Every structure is written in C-alpha cells, then in structure tokens.
Amino acid sequence: LFRSPEHEGEMKEGKKGRGAKKSRGEEREEEIEAEEIGAAEDEGSADEGRVPEEEAPARRGKNAHSKSKRGGADERGSAKDAEALAETIAKAPGNALTLDVDGNEVKLSNLNKIYFPEDGYTKRDLLAYYAQMSPYIVPLLEGRPMVLRRYPDGIHGEAFFQKEAPSPRPEWLKTTLIDSKERGGKMPYVLCEDAASLLFLTNLGCIDHNPWSSRADNQEHPDYIFFDLDPVEGTPFSAVLKVAAAIARELKRAGMKAYPKTSGATGFHIFIPLEARYTYEQVRQFADVIAQMVTQGLPKLTTLERTVSKRPAGTVLIDTLQNAKGKPLACAYSIRPFLKAPASTPLQVGELEKDFSMDAWNMKNLPARVKRIGDLWGDFFENRQRLEDGVERLAGAGKKRK
C-alpha cells in the first residue's frame, strides 16, 4: 500500500540492513488587508515608536530561529533575543511601531485594539506573544504555504480566510506559486520563514497560524499525519483525552512516535512526523487504519460519522480526512480565537492521562510552561518515520493476538 515505484528498490535495500533492529519509532520512544497594511504604513512611518537599528534585538541572520539547534546554547540565545523583541512590542508607546527584525523592517499598527474583549487582551499582547514564541513556532511553519485566517477586529469581529498573499506586501516576505482553480492559474501563497514574517501575518489579524502539511517544494507529499479529534457538543473534555490516549497507544504499538497537542478549542490533535515520500491518499489510509482500531476499542465513545447531525451524543469524531493537500491545521503554540486566548499546547503522551481543561494553557501562561519543561516539539522533524515500519509492527502484533 505504501510502496511507490520510485522508492521500492530503496525500501528493499533498507530492509536487508535493518534485520532484527527495532523500528525507528521504538528507538525514539525509548530514548482587512488594505486597512491593516495601509494603517501600518501610515502609522509606522512616523518616528514615534521606531526602534533604531542599533537598539533592535541582535540580528541572527535569515531564518536563524529555525536553523538554531533547539535546546542548546543557540536556542537559549535565540529565545533571549525573542524575549527582548516581545518586551519592545509590549512597552512601546503609542499605537504603532516600526521594528528592525533580523534586518527586515516590520510595521505594526493598531497595537491597542482590543482582540479579546472579555479578557482585555489587545493586538499588542498577541504580537508580543508571537515575538516571544517565534523560536518555537517558525520551524513548524517555514517552507509551507500558509492559509491566512484573519480576525482584523478581534475574536467577535468578522473573520475570513485568505489564500492569496496580501498585496501590497514587504519585498522581503517570501511567497510560493500554487496552482489555483479559483484563479485559473498560479496564485502566490505566503511562506512564513522567520520572526519578521510571523509578526507581519499576526499584524494582519491572524490570531492562529495555519500551514499546509506538505512543503512548497514537495506539495504532493506531506511530511506529517495528524488526527483531528472533534467532539459532539456537550461531550466532556475528559472523553476527548481518553480517545487521544487510545490513539497514542495504538501508535506506540505501531512503534511510531506521536506528538499530541491541545487544539486550543474543544478538540485535540495528534501528529506524526513522516518522511516526505507518501501521497496524501497513502497517509490518509494509514490514519484511517489507526482510527478504525481505536473506534473498535471505544465504540461508545468514538465515531467516524462526518455528518454532525448523525453523530451520537457524547462521542468524538476521529477526523482523518483533513490529511489532504491544501487543508491546514493550526500549528503548535498557536493562540486560538476564543475566550481566555487559549493556546494549542504540545503535551507529553503521559499527560493525556491527567485531568485538565481544554483552555488550561493560554497566551499568558504558555511561555512559562515552555521555559519550565522545554519545547516538546523541538525534535519533531528530526524524528521522521516510515509508514511501512508502522504497518509491519501492527501486522506482527495482530498475528500475536491470534
């Protein structure tokens, strides 16, 4: 199922050398566009709020956030610079600010606009958060077409999706051309390659950030799978966590390392990094197998029914169909557009057995958690896995059961 002609020979050769070795997974287990842009240009052109180049956070070069070795001295330096940038945004006077971020001029506007009325959080707060968390977020976004979900007037204002890169836009903002049926040709998508790009998109009103699961230079082959858990309204969050834990157990049985995270809403996400060699159809079929196994084990708690009105009360949909080209999902550490500004928070698998609320971590307390326990997704793309290994492990486990 998962062997493509171009990789068949390579896979056979690889199996000769693997012998009785443990699978990779087991080894790892052990160890408003014009308004916002125009306002930024108009308000940011004033000297007020400008950070002189010599006072800006120390430069690290293009894409330094993503290319540093996370967890080591380089990351600590990057995180320190990110905190300084966040503090600059938080304390800047006035309603607009122009920054030099790694050599790129970033204009921020309407800093004091309320985005989360019930909590009193402003656009400034959101920008400061993303500045501080940029060393952890940018590596999850870079090289991927972005689908913009914009809330220019905050969480209660009108929101809209935008695929095409905004115009006008800074010359330094990178884009990639994607075939578009809507346009009848190529359409530029934004690439979020660095902290400057992350702040630019946030300034447009992007409260969360939604990348493709494949890269711009390899669009037909995703390099991760995800399970999107969607509970029926009224289903307790504890039930969602129970389903997430069951998925994690099946993946462990398959020898595959899972990366769970809260969605920042009522649902939950579980990701698996992959070698970028499989089609979306192959990836989705593997996810379907895992979903069916979990559903068989938890028949009263899970459903595969996509029609909302037909889903049994108290159940959780294990959604695998989102594993498709051009269908994004909010990345880890994204703030979500709901009360309390909840964050999509990476978790350890063991935490799935604990009792916590869906909005336990938010824009204000997540940075402290990351400082305390580290970046749980820092090694995500270092642990790319093969579907063949998982299938073989599951088949072997099935034979033992018989």
Side-chain angles (χ1 to χ4, degrees):
L1 175 63
F2 302 112
R3 287 177 170 83
S4 55
E6 62 268 33
H7 297 304
E8 180 74 25
E10 180 185 340
M11 291 178 185
K12 288 180 179 177
E13 186 66 28
K15 288 184 70 174
K16 291 178 184 178
R18 284 206 297 271
K21 281 186 178 181
K22 296 176 182 177
S23 71
R24 293 178 179 82
E26 185 177 36
E27 291 173 349
R28 285 189 291 272
E29 185 67 29
E30 292 177 354
E31 301 166 277
I32 45 201
E33 179 176 321
E35 176 189 353
E36 290 292 310
I37 298 175
E41 292 176 345
D42 294 338
E43 297 174 8
S45 61
D47 289 337
E48 177 185 355
R50 175 178 289 276
V51 179
E53 185 172 325
E54 63 271 20
E55 295 179 10
R59 297 180 185 178
R60 295 173 297 284
K62 303 287 184 183
N63 299 334
H65 291 80
S66 56
K67 297 186 186 302
S68 64
K69 291 186 177 180
R70 301 160 78 186
D74 287 344
E75 186 212 328
R76 289 195 295 272
S78 179
K80 184 177 180 180
D81 291 342
E83 288 185 3
L85 179 60
E87 186 175 2
T88 297
I89 295 171
K91 295 184 177 180
N95 198 37
L97 177 64
T98 299
L99 293 168
D100 182 297
V101 182
D102 296 337
N104 296 322
E105 184 180 76
V106 182
K107 297 178 179 180
L108 307 179
S109 63
N110 299 320
L111 294 176
N112 300 322
K113 180 183 286 188
I114 299 293
Y115 266 24
F116 297 82
E118 289 80 1
D119 304 290
Y121 299 150
T122 64
K123 183 179 180 181
R124 181 194 300 270
D125 295 323
L126 185 67
L127 286 161
Y129 168 85
Y130 278 120
Q132 182 176 358
M133 299 298 289
S134 58
Y136 314 111
I137 297 175
V138 169
L140 304 175
L141 303 180
E142 66 175 348
R144 301 173 188 280
M146 300 291 295
V147 176
L148 312 186
R149 189 181 184 187
R150 296 175 57 183
Y151 295 79
D153 294 313
I155 64 172
H156 297 314
E158 183 179 355
F160 59 95
F161 284 95
Q162 178 177 336
K163 296 180 181 179
E164 187 169 10
S167 182
R169 56 182 178 266
E171 291 184 0
W172 50 259
L173 185 70
K174 293 184 178 180
T175 61
T176 185
L177 292 176
I178 304 289
D179 287 321
S180 170
K181 292 182 180 179
E182 301 104 301
R183 296 290 185 273
K186 300 284 187 179
M187 184 168 71
Y189 278 60
V190 172
L191 297 177
C192 187
E193 302 292 272
D194 46 36
S197 303
L198 182 62
L199 292 177
F200 173 80
L201 295 178
T202 304
N203 190 63
L204 291 179
C206 295
I207 292 178
D208 51 20
H209 296 281
N210 300 270
W212 280 22
S213 53
S214 57
R215 298 175 58 86
D217 58 4
N218 193 2
Q219 296 174 26
E220 304 301 327
H221 301 95
D223 56 0
Y224 55 76
I225 306 175
F226 58 81
F227 298 86
D228 184 8
L229 306 188
D230 183 12
V232 172
E233 186 175 357
T235 303
F237 191 62
S238 59
V240 178
L241 291 177
K242 187 173 182 179
V243 175
I247 293 174
R249 284 194 296 272
E250 289 295 343
L251 292 173
K252 183 177 182 179
R253 196 163 64 89
M256 304 194 80
K257 183 173 176 60
Y259 288 78
K261 70 181 181 74
T262 66
S263 70
T266 59
F268 201 88
H269 302 151
I270 297 179
F271 281 56
I272 310 167
L274 294 177
E275 294 184 4
R277 61 196 301 126
Y278 311 102
T279 66
Y280 275 102
E281 178 63 23
Q282 290 172 324
V283 164
R284 191 162 52 248
Q285 287 179 348
F286 178 84
D288 285 343
V289 169
I290 298 296
Q292 288 166 8
M293 289 178 172
V294 173
T295 300
Q296 289 171 4
L298 297 173
K300 295 182 179 180
L301 199 56
T302 58
T303 180
L304 300 178
E305 175 58 58
R306 297 198 59 80
T307 304
V308 175
S309 61
K310 294 181 180 179
R311 297 177 196 170
T315 61
V316 178
L317 169 68
I318 304 177
D319 190 352
T320 60
L321 288 182
Q322 291 297 106
N323 290 284
K325 183 179 178 181
K327 289 192 175 183
L329 200 66
C331 72
Y333 301 113
S334 270
I335 298 303
R336 305 306 305 280
F338 307 111
L339 298 179
K340 300 182 181 180
S344 185
T345 303
L347 300 175
Q348 297 168 323
V349 171
E351 291 181 285
L352 299 179
E353 305 293 342
K354 297 181 179 180
D355 183 24
F356 56 87
S357 64
M358 63 184 184
D359 54 4
W361 296 283
N362 54 54
M363 182 163 62
K364 292 301 182 181
N365 65 14
L366 181 55
R369 170 181 164 87
V370 174
K371 280 186 178 181
R372 185 174 69 255
I373 68 173
D375 178 14
L376 297 180
W377 282 37
D379 63 350
F380 185 85
F381 290 115
E382 296 171 12
N383 286 328
R384 299 179 189 272
Q385 299 161 93
R386 288 191 178 189
L387 295 179
E388 295 88 345
D389 295 338
V391 170
E392 290 173 5
R393 289 291 298 272
L394 289 174
K399 290 178 181 179
K400 289 180 181 179
R401 286 181 179 180
K402 293 179 180 179

